[in-house]
Amino acid sequence: MPEQFRLIEVPLDAPEADEDLGTKEKFWFRHHDLGNCLFKKARPNTGEDCSRVVRVAWATSC
């Protein structure tokens, strides 16, 4: 079965630029295969990380 969602390890020294929009802690970093990526830190006990995965999966399947 193909891997549906890849897990990407983000090194501690990865942040290149902070992203100030919104309320969540986030930063831009450069991935060797994907290019520029935005990392958003999930807030504990909110379920927002799971809901984002579901929304992306639904949007890309339409």
Side-chain angles (χ1 to χ4, degrees):
M1 181 162 133
E3 186 178 330
Q4 191 170 10
F5 299 103
R6 282 185 7 195
L7 295 180
I8 299 171
E9 189 170 331
V10 180
L12 293 174
D13 63 349
E16 292 184 358
D18 290 336
E19 178 59 61
D20 296 326
L21 293 175
T23 59
K24 293 173 73 172
E25 181 182 340
K26 51 192 160 286
F27 60 82
W28 289 96
F29 70 98
R30 182 141 185 87
H31 187 272
H32 56 84
D33 292 330
L34 302 173
N36 289 331
C37 297
L38 181 64
F39 172 83
K40 292 183 177 183
K41 185 176 180 181
R43 292 179 279 213
N45 304 316
T46 63
E48 63 190 8
D49 50 344
C50 295
S51 65
R52 185 171 307 276
V53 169
V54 170
R55 286 193 309 265
V56 169
W58 177 79
T60 57
S61 68
C62 295

